[in-house]
Each structure stands twice: as structure tokens, then as C-alpha cells.
Amino acid sequence: MVAPAVQVPGTVPFVDDAAIEAFLDNQRNASGRVTLRRLASRDEKEFLDLVSASAELHGPWMALPSTPELYRAYVTRYAQPNEESVLICVRDSGAIAGVVNINSIIRGRFQSASIAYAAFAPTAGQGYMTEGLALVVRYAFEQLRLHRLEAQIQPENHASLKLARRVGFRHEGYSPELLYIDGAWRDHERFAITSSMVDIAPTPPHPTLPER
């Protein structure tokens, strides 16, 4: 279950890391190079600095908040129960290496979500995103008890396509004009991964899954 958010009137919601901490405590590879935590208000300055430093890297592929006002709205969005933003952090330094957004979580018979991800320039190309995205996939299946994650990627975004394949996503098709990005409807390659494709211990069905 997604960890609840606690909000004081007039403030940005405080996000509880308990679900991620419980997941990390159960990981066999706890000595990996990266760790995870949920996006929070306290990350504002570091996050905005990284977005500014990564403008060329993100190009037309990923639009992240670039002002304090946009950042606070972003944190508020991802404090909702059907959305989650997970930071990939370098274990030794605590530096934010990337972000993975788990969007539009749908329960019931679907138990699915869409994900989007971005590396940050200072640590890009060092394998942190591959390790971190694989960890987020396991978190989504083991802790959030999702069954399927989808990723929509523009055909020209070769780095993102390679990352999805490295982590084990399978290519499922091509959709013209799928998403509105950077002022136009963009074509996307569709990728997905399911819990049965990942070597994880079976989990009971989520409580929202219908009996029949």
C-alpha cells in the first residue's frame, strides 16, 4: 500500500518514507550503490539545481519542475495515493542521481501504473539509473503490489530505450501521437514489465483486487 501523506493546512504535504524503508530492509542486495527515498519538500534546492544542470540532457524528453512554485506543486501531486515519485540516491554520498515517477496507479483487476524516469547530469552514465530503476520496479511489485508497469518512450530517445531494455522491459508496440509533450502530440514506443517477468517472491493480491 502506498504510504500516506500527512498535510498541515497551507503547507506542502509531508511524505512518509515508511513503505520504501520497509522494502529496502527486505532486500538481499542492501549493499548496492544506490538507495531510494520518496521526493519531499526538503529536496527542493538540490532538485532544482539538478534540473538546471541537466537541461541539455533532458532536452525534449522530460519536463521537470524548474521553479520553486512548480516544484511545490510537483511534491503535492506525488503525495496523492495514486502517484509516487521516487528519488534514486547514491548510497555513499546521498546525492540525487535520478528520479522515477510512478504515475496513474490503477487498482482493481488492473493493478498497473505508468512510469517515467530521468537521470541527472552530474552522475549520468555511471550506471546508477540502471540499478535504481531495477530497484524501483521491485519496489512497485513487492511493496506496492502492482502487477504491471508501462513506459512510453519517444523513438528518438535512445538512452531511455536502452535503459528500459536493460532493466527487462519488453517492447509491446508503437503508438503515433500518444502523449502531448513540448507543444505537440508525440509518437511513442510502448514498453512494459510485469511481476511474472521479475524474479521476486510471490505476493498476495492487493486488497482492491476483486475476488471474481
Side-chain angles (χ1 to χ4, degrees):
M1 184 177 295
V2 178
V6 178
Q7 184 170 10
V8 176
T11 68
V12 175
F14 169 74
V15 178
D16 188 355
D17 269 334
I20 288 182
E21 291 172 359
F23 163 74
L24 293 174
D25 286 345
N26 291 325
Q27 292 305 296
R28 292 186 297 272
N29 186 24
S31 61
R33 296 191 305 152
V34 301
T35 188
L36 308 177
R37 60 181 175 84
R38 292 190 72 182
L39 179 83
S41 297
R42 64 181 181 271
D43 301 305
E44 180 177 316
K45 184 181 186 307
E46 182 180 4
F47 193 94
L48 292 177
D49 287 346
L50 288 168
V51 169
S52 177
S54 306
E56 184 175 345
L57 177 65
H58 295 164
W61 320 124
M62 186 74 166
L64 291 171
S66 56
T67 68
E69 293 76 19
L70 290 173
Y71 181 82
R72 290 161 196 165
Y74 193 72
V75 171
T76 298
R77 169 187 173 180
Y78 284 105
Q80 306 308 310
N82 64 335
E83 306 274 346
E84 187 155 348
S85 186
V86 181
L87 298 176
I88 297 170
C89 301
V90 179
R91 183 180 297 276
D92 290 344
S93 66
I96 299 172
V99 61
V100 181
N101 293 332
I102 305 174
N103 300 313
S104 305
I105 296 173
I106 301 175
R107 295 296 187 179
R109 294 192 184 278
F110 202 37
Q111 301 297 332
S112 180
S114 177
I115 70 164
Y117 48 80
F120 290 118
T123 51
Q126 300 180 46
Y128 294 126
M129 281 302 296
T130 300
E131 186 177 342
L133 180 58
L135 201 56
V136 173
V137 167
R138 297 184 69 89
Y139 167 69
F141 292 152
E142 293 183 358
Q143 189 70 28
L144 303 185
R145 292 160 71 175
L146 293 169
H147 169 66
R148 175 182 170 89
L149 294 172
E150 300 178 358
Q152 293 83 34
I153 305 169
Q154 293 182 58
E156 297 82 8
N157 190 352
H158 302 297
S160 187
L161 293 170
K162 291 177 181 177
L163 175 56
R165 291 189 172 101
R166 283 199 301 272
V167 173
F169 282 73
R170 67 186 169 209
H171 184 250
E172 294 193 337
Y174 175 84
S175 293
E177 301 182 0
L178 180 66
L179 297 174
Y180 191 79
I181 296 174
D182 196 29
W185 290 98
R186 307 291 180 178
D187 303 343
H188 282 72
E189 302 284 357
R190 302 193 321 277
F191 286 79
I193 191 168
T194 63
S195 56
S196 61
M197 295 166 60
V198 181
D199 182 21
I200 62 173
T203 56
H206 191 272
T208 60
L209 187 67
E211 293 183 3
R212 294 175 182 269

